[in-house]
C-alpha cells in the first residue's frame, strides 16, 4: 500500500493528479467495500471538489504540504460540516453538523480529500465494531472476523487500501486495538495533544483523536497536521508540535520497559505473546536495552475504566434528548415519554448498558463507592506509570491480548469483550501517548506491538515504533 | 435505573440488562480490595492550568444553523412535546 510520502512525491512530480488519485481510490473502494463494509457513507462529491482544489495548488505552484490531495477517511464521530455524522447510532440518523471538528478543519487546511465516513461502534463504545447501529465491518484479513473497534471502519479502510489514512478516536484503545487487529499503524496521542472540539463525546477525560495509517511516518505526518492548542478545547495543550525530527533516531541506548503484568493478563494468546517477544528481541538487537518494570495496579484498570467511562458517557449522552438533533419518536404523548421512547428506539444494547452503569455509579449514595473509588484507582495507575518511567524511556507490550476474533464470538458476554482493551486502557487512564505497530502474525492474523511513553513524548513513541518498523522490514 | 437514565425499557429487557450489569458490577466490586484511604482522586490526568480568554464575542452559529437539525422548530425556537398531557404520562 502506498504511503503518504510516496504519493506526495508522485503528486509533486505531476506523475498523477489528485483527481486521478481520487478516481483510483474510489475504484478501490467500489471493489473492496462489498467484502469489508468499512464506510457508512461516501463523500465522493466533496472529495472531487477537494481533489480539484489540490490540483490547482500543484498546477499553480500554490502552498502544498505532505497531505495535499491525499484521499482519507474520517470516523463517524468527528464533525464534518454539512456531511451526515451519526456516531454509529440510529439516534443521530440524519444529523449534519453545522461546523467542522478542529481536527477535520486542520486537515482540510492541509489539503484533505475526504472520501467517506467510516463505521464504528455506537458512540465509540466497543472493541469489534459489532455495536454499530448500522452494520458490522469485516476484517480485510478474514471477513469472518471483526476489525476490532471502536475505530474498526477506519482500521479496515486503511488495511484494505480504501483510504491512505483515516482518523479514529481512542477512549480505551479504540485506535490502537483495531490497528493491531487489522495490521496497520494506529496512534493515540497524549491527552490534550489534539483538540476534541467537534468530537461527539464518549468519555471526555479519556477521549483523544488520532491517525490510522500504513506507516509510522504517515502517523507522524497526520498527527503533525492535527495537533496543537485550540481555543475551543480548554484541555488542548499549548506544547511544541514536532513529531518528525527525531523519527529516524533509532533505539540505540533507549531503555524499553517490559511490564511483567502485561505479559500475564487473562486471555493473552500464546501466538500474540511470541510475536511480541520476537519483536522485542529485534529491538534489542537494534541497540535497545530491555528492562523489567512493574505496573502493579494493572488488574484493577479494567474495573476503574468501566466506572469512569460509563459515568462520563451517561452524562454526555444526556444531550440525546429528541429536541435539538437526531430522531424523535413522534408517537410520544409528552416530553418525558419522548425522552424514553426516542432513547429506547435510538440506542443499541451496549450504549444502554453503559448509560445505566454510569447512571448507577453517579447516583446519590453510590458516588463514593464507585466513581470516587475509581478516580482514586486511576491515580494509582497513573503513579504506576510514573514509577515505571523512572527506569525506562518507553513501555512495550502487545496492543491487544488476542488476534481478530470471529464475528459474534463475544457479543453475548460484554465482559469478555471488555477484556480485549486490558492492555490499552491504562494509557487512557494515565493520559499517555501510545502507538500500535504491526509486528508479525499469529495463525495468519496480524499482531500489534504497543509502545507507551510519558506525557508529551509522542515523538519518542513514534521513534521507537519507526525503529521497530525498520528492523521488521529489514528481516 | 433505566428510568433514571431515561431509557424506556420493557420489563423483559430490564431483566436481561439487570443480569448482565450484575456480572459487570461483580467484577467492579474488586476495587474494594485496594486501600485508597490516603490516595487523592484524579481530577485531571495531564496537568493543565486554566486558560482564560478575553470576554469578547466570537463567530457563532446563526439561529437557522442551530435549528437546522432539530426534529421540530418554529419561529426561531426548538419545539418540544408538551410537558403534561391527559394520557399515560
Amino acid at each position: 500500500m502506498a504511503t503518504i510520502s510516496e504519493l506526495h512525491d508522485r503528486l509533486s512530480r505531476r506523475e498523477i493528479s489528485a483527481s486521478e488519485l481520487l478516481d483510483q481510490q474510489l475504484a478501490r473502494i467500489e471493489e473492496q467495500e462489498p467484502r469489508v463494509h468499512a464506510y457508512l457513507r461516501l463523500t465522493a462529491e466533496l472529495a472531487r471538489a477537494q481533489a480539484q482544489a489540490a490540483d490547482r495548488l500543484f498546477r499553480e505552484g500554490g502552498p502544498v504540504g505532505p497531505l495535499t490531495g491525499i484521499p482519507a477517511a474520517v470516523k463517524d464521530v468527528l464533525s464534518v460540516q454539512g456531511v451526515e455524522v451519526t456516531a454509529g447510532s440510529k439516534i443521530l440518523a440524519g444529523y449534519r453538523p453545522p461546523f467542522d471538528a478542529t481536527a477535520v478543519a486542520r486537515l482540510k487546511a492541509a489539503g484533505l480529500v475526504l472520501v467517506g465516513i467510516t463505521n464504528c461502534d455506537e458512540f465509540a463504545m466497543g472493541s469489534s465494531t459489532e455495536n454499530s447501529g448500522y452494520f458490522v465491518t469485516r476484517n480485510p484479513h478474514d471477513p469472518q472476523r471483526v476489525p476490532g473497534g471502536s475505530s474498526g471502519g477506519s482500521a479496515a479502510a486503511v488495511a484494505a487500501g480504501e483510504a491512505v489514512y483515516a482518523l479514529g478516536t481512542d477512549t480505551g484503545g479504540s485506535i490502537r486495538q483495531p490497528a493491531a487487529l487489522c495490521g496497520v499503524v494506529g496512534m493515540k496521542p497524549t491527552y490534550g495533544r489534539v483538540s476534541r472540539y467537534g468530537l461527539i463525546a464518549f468519555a471526555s477525560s479519556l477521549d483523544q483523536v488520532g491517525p490510522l495509517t500504513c506507516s509510522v511516518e504517515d502517523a507522524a505526518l497526520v498527527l503533525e497536521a492535527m495537533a496543537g492548542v485550540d481555543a475551543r478545547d480548554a484541555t488542548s495543550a499549548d506544547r511544541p508540535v514536532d513529531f518528525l525530527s527525531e523519527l529516524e533516531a533509532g533505539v540505540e541506548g533507549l531503555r524499553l520497559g517490559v511490564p511483567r503484568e502485561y505479559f500475564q493478563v487473562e486471555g493473552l494468546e500464546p501466538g500474540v505473546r511470541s510475536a511480541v517477544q520476537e519483536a522485542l528481541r529485534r529491538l534489542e538487537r537494534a541497540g535497545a536495552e530491555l528492562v523489567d518494570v512493574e505496573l502493579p495496579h494493572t488488574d484493577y484498570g479494567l474495573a476503574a475504566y468501566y466506572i469512569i467511562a460509563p459515568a462520563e458517557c451517561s452524562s454526555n449522552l444526556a444531550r440525546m434528548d429528541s429536541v435539538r438533533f437526531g430522531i424523535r419518536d413522534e408517537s410520544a404523548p409528552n416530553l418525558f415519554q419522548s425522552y424514553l421512547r426516542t432513547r429506547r428506539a435510538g440506542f443499541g444494547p451496549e450504549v444502554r448498558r453503559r448509560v445505566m452503569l454510569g447512571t448507577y455509579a453517579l447516583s446519590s449514595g453510590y458516588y463514593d463507592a464507585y466513581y470516587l473509588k475509581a478516580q482514586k484507582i486511576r491515580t494509582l495507575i497513573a503513579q504506576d506509570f510514573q514509577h515505571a518511567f523512572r527506569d525506562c524511556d518507553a513501555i512495550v507490550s502487545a496492543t491487544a491480548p488476542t488476534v481478530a476474533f470471529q464475528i459474534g464470538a463475544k457479543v453475548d458476554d460484554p465482559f469478555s469483550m471488555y477484556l480485549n482493551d486490558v492492555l490499552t486502557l491504562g494509557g487512557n487512564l494515565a493520559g499517555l501517548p501510545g502507538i500500535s505497530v504491526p509486528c508479525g502474525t499469529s495463525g495468519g492474523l496480524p499482531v500489534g506491538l504497543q509502545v507507551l511513553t510519558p506525557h508529551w513524548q509522542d515523538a519518542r513513541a513514534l521513534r521507537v515504533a519507526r525503529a521497530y518498523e525498520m528492523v521488521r522490514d529489514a528481516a | 435505573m433505566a428510568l433514571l437514565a431515561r431509557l424506556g425499557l420493557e420489563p423483559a429487557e430490564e431483566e436481561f440488562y439487570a443480569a448482565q450489569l450484575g456480572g459487570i458490577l461483580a467484577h467492579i466490586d474488586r476495587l474494594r480490595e485496594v486501600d485508597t484511604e490516603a490516595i487523592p482522586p484524579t481530577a485531571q490526568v495531564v496537568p493543565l492550568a486554566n486558560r482564560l480568554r478575553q470576554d469578547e464575542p466570537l463567530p457563532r452559529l446563526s439561529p437557522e444553523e442551530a435549528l437546522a437539525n432539530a426534529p421540530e422548530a418554529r419561529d426561531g425556537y426548538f419545539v418540544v412535546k408538551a410537558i403534561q398531557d391527559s394520557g399515560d404520562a
Side-chain angles (χ1 to χ4, degrees), chain A residues 283-458:
Chain A
L283 282 164
E284 200 173 19
R285 283 202 294 274
E289 181 192 349
L290 300 182
V291 296
D292 291 325
V293 295
E294 289 183 1
L295 298 170
H297 294 93
T298 296
D299 256 6
Y300 301 103
L302 192 68
Y305 179 85
Y306 276 96
I307 293 293
I308 295 165
E312 294 185 17
C313 96
S314 74
S315 170
N316 276 326
L317 267 54
R319 68 173 65 93
M320 302 300 155
D321 60 3
S322 73
V323 173
R324 291 161 295 165
F325 30 66
I327 61 167
R328 174 193 284 182
D329 185 328
E330 294 296 344
S331 74
N334 58 42
L335 183 60
F336 188 73
Q337 285 296 325
S338 175
Y339 296 151
L340 298 186
R341 294 185 192 182
T342 302
R343 288 163 67 87
R344 179 178 194 281
F347 287 153
E350 184 61 22
V351 172
R352 295 176 183 180
R353 274 192 288 274
R354 296 210 200 181
V355 166
M356 282 191 277
L357 195 57
T359 303
Y360 179 67
L362 291 175
S363 59
S364 172
Y366 294 94
Y367 179 89
D368 284 6
Y370 288 110
Y371 190 69
L372 190 67
K373 182 83 182 180
Q375 291 286 44
K376 290 179 169 188
I377 303 285
R378 186 176 187 177
T379 302
L380 291 170
I381 287 168
Q383 286 175 354
D384 280 357
F385 281 108
Q386 280 168 18
H387 294 157
F389 283 130
R390 286 181 198 154
D391 298 321
C392 65
D393 302 299
I395 289 174
V396 286
S397 71
T399 305
T402 71
V403 293
F405 42 91
Q406 295 278 340
I407 289 170
K410 296 182 195 281
V411 282
D412 294 331
D413 181 3
F415 195 73
S416 75
M417 185 79 85
Y418 298 170
L419 279 172
N420 223 262
D421 291 334
V422 72
L423 299 174
T424 44
L425 54 81
N428 299 81
L429 289 170
L432 307 174
I435 188 167
S436 179
V437 58
C439 74
T441 57
S442 168
L445 293 163
V447 175
L449 171 72
Q450 176 176 243
V451 182
L452 295 168
T453 50
H455 291 147
W456 314 117
Q457 303 300 324
D458 307 65

Side-chain angles (χ1 to χ4, degrees), chain A residues 94-96 98 191 229-230 233-237 299-300 302-303 306-307 322-326 328 330 332-341 343-344 347 349 352-353 355-357 359-360 370 372-373 375-380 412 414-415 418 429-431 455-456, chain B residues 1-10 13 16-17 20-21 23-25 27-43 45-49 51 53 58-59 61 65-72 78-85 87-89:
Chain A
Y95 173 62
R96 291 175 188 272
Y191 183 81
V229 68
D230 174 20
D233 175 3
T235 63
S236 69
D299 256 6
Y300 301 103
L302 192 68
Y306 276 96
I307 293 293
S322 73
V323 173
R324 291 161 295 165
F325 30 66
R328 174 193 284 182
E330 294 296 344
N334 58 42
L335 183 60
F336 188 73
Q337 285 296 325
S338 175
Y339 296 151
L340 298 186
R341 294 185 192 182
R343 288 163 67 87
R344 179 178 194 281
F347 287 153
R352 295 176 183 180
R353 274 192 288 274
V355 166
M356 282 191 277
L357 195 57
T359 303
Y360 179 67
Y370 288 110
L372 190 67
K373 182 83 182 180
Q375 291 286 44
K376 290 179 169 188
I377 303 285
R378 186 176 187 177
T379 302
L380 291 170
D412 294 331
F415 195 73
Y418 298 170
L429 289 170
H455 291 147
W456 314 117
Chain B
M1 202 48 59
L3 200 63
L4 194 59
R6 300 293 183 261
L7 299 168
L9 299 187
E10 304 288 331
E13 290 174 321
F16 170 76
Y17 289 115
Q20 281 189 337
L21 293 174
I24 295 167
L25 284 170
H27 176 83
I28 286 170
D29 278 337
R30 301 183 54 217
L31 293 180
R32 293 178 199 204
E33 296 166 12
V34 187
D35 179 6
T36 52
E37 194 59 41
I39 308 298
T42 296
V45 70
V46 174
L48 288 170
R51 277 215 326 273
R53 66 168 178 86
L58 297 171
L61 296 180
E65 288 170 317
L67 290 166
N69 280 293
E72 195 180 352
F78 294 104
V79 177
V80 300
K81 295 278 180 181
I83 304 292
Q84 286 188 312
D85 71 350
D88 58 352

